[in-house]
Amino acid sequence: MSKAPVAINLRDKLALFQDHWSPKIIGDFNGHDVMLVKIKGEFTWHAHPDTDDFFLVLDGQVTIQLRDGNVTLNPGELYVVPKGVEHCPMAAEEASILLIEPAGTPNTGDAATAARKDRI
């Protein structure tokens, strides 16, 4: 007997954790991780040499700092950082974002410094 399909409630998933900069995998999509992350403050400057970086803001305001200028995102807005482009996400106040990236992609672009991704 197979399981009945169940929708993923983003608010319910966000309520399960408080930590910042620690991606939580909530689903899989064609070999990609669908993740929620709470952020506050500045991350680290980094690039992903082989993948684009998808950011969709759910709550708060997020600035994607780029060497050529910044992109500020509000709830419901998204930005895709092209592969190889150095960037640094930041949020003055807590914000929640949805990320989609190939499974196993380190969030810093370097497996040695990446945060562990937990499945919730």
Side-chain angles (χ1 to χ4, degrees):
M1 181 184 261
S2 65
K3 289 180 157 182
V6 177
I8 297 170
N9 184 295
L10 300 181
R11 298 271 170 241
D12 290 350
K13 293 291 188 182
L14 284 165
L16 294 175
F17 65 98
Q18 301 347 274
D19 48 333
H20 297 127
W21 303 111
S22 180
K24 308 299 182 197
I25 300 169
I26 60 166
D28 305 297
F29 175 75
N30 292 331
H32 289 66
D33 292 330
V34 178
M35 298 170 288
L36 293 176
V37 183
K38 291 183 181 179
I39 67 172
K40 185 175 181 182
E42 188 173 272
F43 197 52
T44 185
W45 281 93
H46 67 285
H48 302 272
D50 301 317
T51 64
D52 298 329
D53 214 354
F54 175 99
F55 294 86
L56 171 63
V57 176
L58 303 173
D59 293 308
Q61 186 177 72
V62 175
T63 300
I64 308 297
Q65 300 173 97
L66 303 161
R67 297 298 184 191
D68 293 337
N70 298 338
V71 177
T72 299
L73 304 170
N74 292 298
E77 295 181 326
L78 69 87
Y79 184 73
V80 177
V81 178
K83 69 180 173 182
V85 173
E86 195 175 19
H87 59 286
C88 178
M90 61 94 47
E93 301 296 327
E94 185 176 81
S96 300
I97 57 178
L98 184 133
L99 303 174
I100 300 172
E101 57 191 30
T105 300
N107 64 341
T108 59
D110 180 356
T113 60
R116 192 177 96 197
K117 298 176 185 177
D118 297 316
R119 185 172 295 273
I120 60 171

